[in-house]
Amino acid sequence: MRTTHIALAVLVTAVWGVNFVVIEVGLGHFPPLLFSALRFLAAALPAVFLVGRPKVAWKWVIGVGLVLGVAKFGLLFVGMDQGMPAGLSSLVLQIQAVFTALFAAVALGERPGRVRLLGMAVALAGIAVAAVDEGTSGPLLAFTLVIAAAACWGVSNVLTRKASPPDALNFMVWVSAVPVLPLLGLSLLFEGPDADLAALRALDGTGIAVILYVAWVTTVFGFGAWGFLLRRYPASSVAPFSLLVPVFGMSSAALLLSESISPLRWCAAALLVGGVALTSLSRAGGPTTQAPTGPVPAERLPPPPPLPRAPPPAPDTGPLTPGSSPTQA
């Protein structure tokens, strides 16, 4: 990967890491499904009227919107609301890298090389160390919901790669419009209209700031940039960068939520960074290229066959008379 694209991937993971702290703050203001619906509503409006029509088939927009918006974020928000802390959620969710590599191998035929597999193993070892440090005393249902969210994220990565949108921002804005109504319907069904109305009536500056961050910074910018990277590189090359998310998530939780970071957790962060470095700096799996669909340049065309030898010129027999032809004697 190019250095600028590596920097972009790291920036996106930083945005996503801080996002777990912001989500925890937002869950104090909104029910989880309503919070997720408002997030995508703010990301989609008014942008859908400014970016033009989708530049990929509707099946990809709807598919990614349902898997990423409804399934992944719905499960994540509900899991955190049920007791998964921000730091542990940022950690467990990164199992999506394994799901992505598995789904990409099956659906896209992408086979990660040995160095990339080693990098993923080192990074996943870091996740295991951090999980031991966090402990498993939290609710089992909440833990399972976040793992399911990670699997949905892996599916959405592969769908985005398959769609290969030429304009990542356009794609993400339209994807954000898909989950709004399904999430609102699920919120009314499971959380109830009274809880939704109470949250909307109590909306304050903090609630608005939270929605704007998770909508514009995390969703539009974050997933727009992520989709851009997935369009240029194999999914198994991009996905391991998400293993940096818990590093930023735990750091921001320590700074903003006063969560302590133990030596064991620092060890986990070092393993994660090392694994991502091995994965991203390996030579296998560079940018993908597509077969040309336009006309072949003239310099790449094969030389034309030699022209047949011209016949000797006919003897000059004087001017032609009407009704004669040049081949007549």
Side-chain angles (χ1 to χ4, degrees), residues 216-231:
W216 285 98
V217 181
T218 303
T219 305
V220 176
F221 166 73
F223 281 96
W226 199 252
F228 166 79
L229 294 171
L230 285 171
R231 184 168 59 90

Side-chain angles (χ1 to χ4, degrees), residues 91-255:
L91 175 70
V92 172
L93 193 65
Q94 303 322 308
I95 300 175
Q96 64 87 17
V98 177
F99 286 117
T100 300
L102 175 63
F103 298 151
V106 174
L108 304 178
E110 295 180 2
R111 300 294 189 269
R114 292 181 180 180
V115 176
R116 184 163 290 123
L117 287 173
L118 175 62
M120 292 186 67
V122 172
L124 288 175
I127 287 182
V129 171
V132 171
D133 184 58
E134 285 283 354
T136 56
S137 59
L140 180 60
L141 176 60
F143 188 86
T144 304
L145 289 174
V146 176
I147 290 179
C152 294
W153 192 1
V155 173
S156 71
N157 281 338
V158 175
L159 290 177
T160 301
R161 170 81 173 138
K162 194 76 172 177
S164 296
D167 185 337
L169 177 61
N170 171 281
F171 181 68
M172 196 60 230
V173 166
W174 281 103
V175 163
S176 298
V178 173
V180 176
L181 291 180
L183 285 170
L184 284 176
L186 290 171
S187 178
L188 291 173
L189 181 62
F190 292 103
E191 296 166 347
D194 293 339
D196 290 350
L197 289 175
L200 293 175
R201 290 193 184 106
L203 185 64
D204 57 10
T206 302
I208 294 174
V210 164
I211 291 174
L212 291 179
Y213 182 90
V214 297
W216 285 98
V217 181
T218 303
T219 305
V220 176
F221 166 73
F223 281 96
W226 199 252
F228 166 79
L229 294 171
L230 285 171
R231 184 168 59 90
R232 291 183 60 90
Y233 299 96
S236 57
S237 297
V238 178
F241 279 95
S242 65
L243 296 171
L244 289 173
V245 171
V247 176
F248 292 108
M250 291 185 293
S251 301
S252 61
L255 292 173

Side-chain angles (χ1 to χ4, degrees), residues 35-85:
F35 183 19
S36 190
L38 293 175
R39 168 220 191 112
F40 286 107
L41 179 63
L45 294 178
V48 289
F49 301 108
L50 304 175
V51 297
R53 292 178 57 84
K55 294 179 172 58
V56 298
W58 278 105
K59 65 179 181 179
W60 301 120
V61 174
I62 295 173
V64 175
L66 293 176
V67 175
L68 181 68
V70 179
K72 186 254 182 177
F73 280 105
L75 291 168
L76 174 63
F77 280 33
V78 172
M80 293 183 66
D81 187 63
Q82 291 295 313
M84 277 287 285

